[in-house]
Amino acid sequence: MSPARFAVSIALWSLTTLHANAEPVSIAAAVPKTNITTDLTDIWWPDAEPGWGIQFVHNADIVFATLYVYGGSNQPTFFVATLQNTPVGGGTWTGTLYSSTGSHFATNWNPAAVGETAVGTMTFDLSGVGAGTLTYNVGGTNVIKFIKRQPLRLENNDGSYRIYHTWSTVGSACGSADAYTAPASGALQIFGVGDVSIVTISLADSPVQACQMQATYSQSGRLGLYTGNIVCTPTGRTGAMMLYAVQNRPKMLTAEYTINWSDGCIRTGRLAAVSFTP
């Protein structure tokens, strides 16, 4: 799947600028998260070995895994596991692997035919946002595979949004204008034109900065990624920006971002964006 280019426009300003009388609002981590870790919900596969894979459904600190592979007779078979995040907040999930039996799909359901047999263990170690190592065993057979999120179709993130975001900075070049004092709100616009588009980003700090970026859009499974260079006015500040783990929800987006300013200051943040259109 070839990457697409998108046009993005962001405006950030203080919460009090938009709502002078607004009370502080508490919003959970804006990334596609479970409030504990990166959300693993997706179809995962080894892209060099099409034909088998695993589906993760993530809720809180557990993941339900459905592994679809081929058995000893080269016939389709599947295994299931409930994986626990261990330790909670870390990048590892582990649990018992089961095979199951049940009624034939074309016959009446017979609860007495349902059964599960523990056949081994399964562990998944996440590396980054879109890749990880799957380790499991069935009896005495041990398997280790590097897997990635499987993209199905590029999301259409076009729209105008109100955003709410938090951030942190690191680096001796970071000044008072970069410092995080409180969650801030602003506006986000995304415009895509085919596979190649112009990308524009505006950031409002102190002073307000209007930034332009030409970004390439791609996806890891259902999570989007915008990368490109930005140039800001009136400060003339430049850098590279990555808007990643972008998750498209009905009338809203969530994402993380990193800006590596050319002066050495690094800004990382999280945002939630709600469409202006109900």
Side-chain angles (χ1 to χ4, degrees):
M1 180 179 295
S2 62
R5 292 179 179 269
F6 274 73
V8 181
S9 175
I10 290 183
L12 311 179
W13 51 88
S14 70
L15 182 61
T16 54
T17 300
L18 289 175
H19 303 288
N21 299 318
E23 293 294 327
V25 178
S26 176
I27 293 182
V31 201
K33 286 186 174 257
T34 62
N35 292 329
I36 298 176
T37 64
T38 297
D39 189 354
L40 299 188
T41 302
D42 226 324
I43 299 173
W44 297 70
W45 70 331
D47 51 6
E49 301 177 12
W52 75 270
I54 188 168
Q55 181 172 346
F56 292 142
V57 178
H58 194 167
N59 181 218
D61 59 344
I62 63 170
V63 169
F64 185 79
T66 305
L67 175 67
Y68 45 95
V69 289
Y70 299 97
S73 59
N74 295 330
Q75 294 299 308
T77 188
F78 71 91
F79 301 95
V80 297
T82 299
L83 308 179
Q84 176 71 47
N85 187 210
T86 309
V88 175
T92 299
W93 289 260
T94 188
T96 302
L97 189 66
Y98 294 89
S99 65
S100 59
T101 58
S103 301
H104 187 273
F105 69 88
T107 63
N108 292 330
W109 181 254
N110 178 12
V114 177
E116 287 187 340
T117 303
V119 296
T121 61
M122 173 180 284
T123 298
F124 179 69
D125 293 294
L126 182 67
S127 54
V129 171
T133 300
L134 178 68
T135 304
Y136 67 94
N137 70 285
V138 177
T141 302
N142 299 306
V143 179
I144 300 177
K145 295 289 185 178
F146 181 75
I147 58 176
K148 300 178 181 179
R149 295 179 188 263
Q150 181 178 2
L152 298 178
R153 179 174 294 176
L154 292 181
E155 292 278 8
N156 180 2
N157 298 321
D158 289 8
S160 298
Y161 305 88
R162 175 67 53 82
I163 70 170
Y164 194 82
H165 72 117
T166 61
W167 69 92
S168 61
T169 58
V170 62
S172 58
C174 298
S176 58
D178 301 299
Y180 174 76
T181 57
S185 60
L188 165 68
Q189 290 182 309
I190 300 179
F191 302 99
V193 183
D195 290 337
V196 179
S197 299
I198 298 173
V199 176
T200 302
I201 289 186
S202 297
L203 298 173
D205 295 322
S206 179
V208 173
Q209 298 188 80
C211 305
Q212 290 188 338
M213 176 179 81
Q214 287 200 348
T216 299
Y217 180 71
S218 60
Q219 274 184 212
S220 176
R222 61 195 180 91
L223 304 183
L225 169 66
Y226 296 89
T227 57
N229 296 319
I230 59 175
V231 179
C232 301
T233 57
T235 62
R237 205 175 193 187
T238 61
M241 182 172 184
M242 179 170 63
L243 184 66
Y244 63 100
V246 180
Q247 184 172 357
N248 188 311
R249 295 180 168 97
K251 298 295 184 178
M252 69 177 294
L253 303 173
T254 56
E256 294 187 54
Y257 67 88
T258 299
I259 303 175
N260 289 278
W261 296 112
S262 56
D263 57 20
C265 179
I266 300 174
R267 174 171 171 167
T268 60
R270 299 171 179 171
L271 64 84
V274 178
S275 174
F276 281 103
T277 305

